[in-house]
Amino acid sequence: MSDTQSENQSQSSSETLNFQTEAKQLLQLMIHSLYSNREIFLRELISNASDAIDKLRFRAIEDASLLGDDADFRIDITFDKDAGTLTIADNGIGMTRDEVIAHLGTIAKSGTAEFLANLTGDQQSDSQLIGQFGVGFYSAFMVAKEVEVLTQSAAGGDGVRWRSSGEDAYSLDVATDLPRGTQVILHLQEDATEYAEDARLRHIVTRYSDHIGVPVRVFSTPGYGASEDEEFVPELEAVNSAQALWTRSRSEVGDEEYKEFYKHVSNDFEDPLNWSHNRVEGKFEYTSLLYLPKRAPFDLYNRELPKGLKLYVQRVFIMDDADQFLPLYLRFVKGVIDSNDLPLNVSREILQQDERVTSIRNAVTKRVLSMLEDMAKKDPEQYQAFWKEFGEVIKEGAGEDFANRQAIMKLLRFASTHGGNSDKTASLADYLERKKEDQESIYYICAETYETASRSPHLEIFKDKGVEVLLMFDRIDEWLMSSLSEFEGVPFVDVMRGDVTLPGESKPEEDNEDSDAEEHPLTERIQAVIGEKVEGVRPSKRLTDSPACLVLSDYGVGIQMRKILEASGQSMPETKPFFEFNAEHPLLHRLDTEQDEDRFAELVELLFDQASLAEGGTLQDPATYVSRMNRLLMDLLPANEA
Ligand code: ADP
Ligand code: MG
């Protein structure tokens, strides 16, 4: 994607390439918005070095020759105070020229352009957004005026020298005699020389990178790798504990360490919300360390979102984003699985069918669900924060995961008429606890927004009688409710549908359902006007204040679902609603006495359109509605004197 500036394509001479537009934008933002916490650049570079070592270790399983005579993996951080340079060197997999261009010159992550479009220019909120995007390699430019990368791929070929001052372009040269792996050399900015100091570096490494599974060593030396002074023997002591964090026992690992490790595996900038670390022994042995993020990624609904856990087999890194260990609806969970039983050469294809994987996945799913249930019990506030971010995805689970449906239903939260605002949510258990003694249903309503739901005329009688109704307004709710029938034996009832039965009333019998409808004189007159548009007309039991409302049949597609399906280009079979009128309403009393049939028809049409508007529907013919409304207004207003 980068365009070549230099005409000279010769491999041996220098070439200047432009950063991909997105990369350039992100780089600029990074430098300017994350400035307040710039020491994290070191964490990012160490994290990359550790990933590079993991990758080589994995490749060497099949081809040990890749290791050559250097199998002692390590990350060395050296500095030269006088020169103002800091070097992070690894003996990992390295990069070829093409890889350097692809990884350091572009951002491959899907959705980057949309992401950038979401930035506001406000530093604080932007820095949070960038944080969830993952800061990565470019964070080096927060402290460096120039970054140099020397890298030699383990696969052989020429070494590469990449250089940039973080503006529009970078240069590439061939570099020879490099040791295997990558050296990132930072030419520190004048105000960042503190990062060329032993104590400061050790402190940062201990703080952010203690969990890294290979030794991270800090020492002062001129010219690592290309050292002319062969005699120079620095003090080679690892600063970190160099033991993969998840292999340690829970009691040994501090919260801060867990949090830093999370940032390493997730690329998240913020602390996790919660985590669960478990060693499982039995039929299959594995360790899982699962994290819940604080915030949903901006691309949670992107199908190509990389998801899943980091997979290790007997401590050896195998792959990122192993999505076979989690159901789709838990795609936001981050962490590590380390299995003792899977073969080292396991592939994604094998993972897909392996019974060990299925068994781990089932266990991990239960683990996450019980972690959530625990959180909901012990820390409702934290759970509420979680729910706000991920509730919609958990709802997918309630619809899809039959085996765990009962557990997932306990996790669901809904706004309700009891709460008074959209943030006050209730669990289904809360609802059952509050329900009336003679109440045999869990009542709910689906609409497009909280406001539409909470003010719907369909709720009037429920409010009147103090019966709680769950208010649903997430896009997914109607789909969800179409797959749930009951909770703890109590059926769900959509108050917008069918002939609702209120607590204490007996269910109307099938065959006399329409009996009282036929008794009302207005039924037939109204039917004559809007009969084409509706399934039927009947007096309502739902309404106390509004004159009329529309009611779906038990199986008709609701408005929310209809809008979603229509937006996705599907044609919908027309399902007609019932028109219910409030026979006690003064407007209907007047209507009853209206002798002029034309005027009667006009008023009924208006009531019909209003009922449709009140439930968030769209009018088929808004222009006619407006002109009818205006005629009515003209009748009401006194004529001008002149
Ligand atoms: P991320 O680590 O999330 O992929 P980064 O911006 O940190 O994003 O790094 C971009 C890519 O550059 C990495 O995915 C990797 O392919 C490559 N890379 C960075 N540092 C190294 C390194 N030390 N050795 C090999 N490859 C590296
Ligand atoms: Mg990285």
Side-chain angles (χ1 to χ4, degrees), residues 166-198:
E167 276 146 20
D168 296 340
Y170 57 89
S171 70
L172 286 178
D173 297 273
V174 169
T176 47
D177 294 330
L178 297 176
R180 181 196 71 221
T182 303
Q183 302 164 52
V184 179
I185 305 166
L186 310 181
H187 297 266
L188 296 169
Q189 293 164 10
E190 278 66 37
D191 65 350
T193 49
E194 63 192 287
Y195 300 110
E197 276 168 23
D198 195 63

Side-chain angles (χ1 to χ4, degrees), residues 30 44-53 55 88-90 92-95 99-100 102-107 109 133-139 149-151 181-184 264 266-267 320:
M30 183 100 44
E44 295 300 324
L45 297 180
I46 293 175
S47 175
N48 286 350
S50 155
D51 288 347
I53 287 170
K55 283 181 200 156
I88 294 88
D90 65 70
I93 192 135
M95 284 178 271
E99 285 166 346
V100 168
H103 299 321
L104 305 186
T106 63
I107 290 169
K109 199 171 160 118
F133 195 83
V135 286
F137 172 77
Y138 294 142
S139 63
V149 178
L150 296 171
T151 184
T182 303
Q183 302 164 52
V184 179
H264 171 63
S266 68
N267 279 329
D320 279 311

Side-chain angles (χ1 to χ4, degrees), residues 147-162:
V147 177
E148 218 178 316
V149 178
L150 296 171
T151 184
Q152 171 63 55
S153 167
D158 281 337
V160 183
R161 177 165 181 252
W162 179 100

Side-chain angles (χ1 to χ4, degrees), residues 330-446:
L330 295 180
R331 59 186 173 274
F332 53 87
V333 175
K334 303 284 181 198
V336 166
I337 289 282
D338 188 347
S339 155
N340 270 347
D341 309 294
L342 291 169
L344 283 167
N345 63 355
V346 67
S347 63
R348 285 190 196 269
E349 290 67 42
I350 294 177
L351 287 180
Q352 228 129 53
Q353 326 153 349
D354 197 290
E355 63 154 328
R356 289 165 291 197
V357 175
T358 314
S359 142
I360 296 176
R361 171 197 173 109
N362 290 341
V364 166
T365 304
K366 291 206 160 63
R367 174 79 59 197
V368 175
L369 295 177
S370 73
M371 178 156 75
L372 290 172
E373 196 177 330
D374 259 18
M375 191 202 294
K377 267 194 209 118
K378 291 187 193 135
D379 192 345
E381 235 167 82
Q382 189 182 49
Y383 186 74
Q384 187 59 27
F386 165 82
W387 183 256
K388 247 186 125 125
E389 291 291 313
F390 298 106
E392 287 198 58
V393 198
I394 294 295
K395 287 176 182 172
E396 291 175 18
E400 280 165 12
D401 186 349
F402 303 111
N404 292 301
R405 179 170 281 176
Q406 288 313 313
I408 302 173
M409 284 180 79
K410 289 191 188 139
L411 299 175
L412 299 177
R413 296 292 181 273
F414 298 103
S416 95
T417 48
H418 184 83
N421 71 56
S422 61
D423 287 335
K424 275 235 170 72
T425 60
S427 69
L428 295 171
D430 294 338
Y431 183 98
L432 289 188
E433 208 157 277
R434 285 196 288 258
K435 85 173 170 53
K436 302 237 173 238
E437 220 164 285
D438 50 5
Q439 184 180 338
E440 288 168 12
S441 315
I442 300 174
Y443 296 105
Y444 70 94
I445 183 168
C446 285

Side-chain angles (χ1 to χ4, degrees), residues 137-304:
F137 172 77
Y138 294 142
S139 63
F141 288 101
M142 295 194 296
V143 297
K145 53 184 182 233
E146 183 177 60
V147 177
E148 218 178 316
V149 178
L150 296 171
T151 184
Q152 171 63 55
S153 167
D158 281 337
V160 183
R161 177 165 181 252
W162 179 100
R163 248 160 45 130
S164 176
S165 52
E167 276 146 20
D168 296 340
Y170 57 89
S171 70
L172 286 178
D173 297 273
V174 169
T176 47
D177 294 330
L178 297 176
R180 181 196 71 221
T182 303
Q183 302 164 52
V184 179
I185 305 166
L186 310 181
H187 297 266
L188 296 169
Q189 293 164 10
E190 278 66 37
D191 65 350
T193 49
E194 63 192 287
Y195 300 110
E197 276 168 23
D198 195 63
R200 182 85 166 101
L201 288 168
R202 280 169 194 269
H203 175 77
I204 303 176
V205 172
T206 323
R207 167 143 187 221
Y208 295 108
S209 307
D210 196 52
H211 57 79
I212 295 287
V214 291
V216 179
R217 310 182 301 188
V218 175
F219 52 95
S220 159
T221 177
Y224 171 86
S227 171
E228 284 156 32
D229 181 3
E230 296 289 317
E231 304 304 305
F232 181 82
V233 185
E235 202 188 316
L236 299 177
E237 194 201 340
V239 176
N240 63 333
S241 55
Q243 191 188 355
L245 179 131
W246 67 92
T247 63
R248 295 159 58 192
S249 84
R250 232 177 355 210
S251 56
E252 271 175 30
V253 185
D255 284 1
E256 285 309 314
E257 290 180 89
Y258 275 122
K259 289 179 189 170
E260 284 310 323
F261 184 68
Y262 165 72
K263 292 174 188 170
H264 171 63
V265 293
S266 68
N267 279 329
D268 194 342
F269 188 69
E270 286 189 285
D271 287 342
L273 190 63
N274 212 332
W275 60 86
S276 167
H277 179 192
N278 298 91
R279 181 163 309 150
V280 179
E281 278 153 16
K283 194 161 156 223
F284 303 121
E285 287 185 8
Y286 65 91
T287 300
S288 63
L289 174 50
L290 308 168
Y291 287 98
L292 303 175
K294 256 197 192 132
R295 222 175 281 275
F298 68 92
D299 50 359
L300 186 61
Y301 294 97
N302 175 350
R303 280 163 206 272
E304 283 137 56

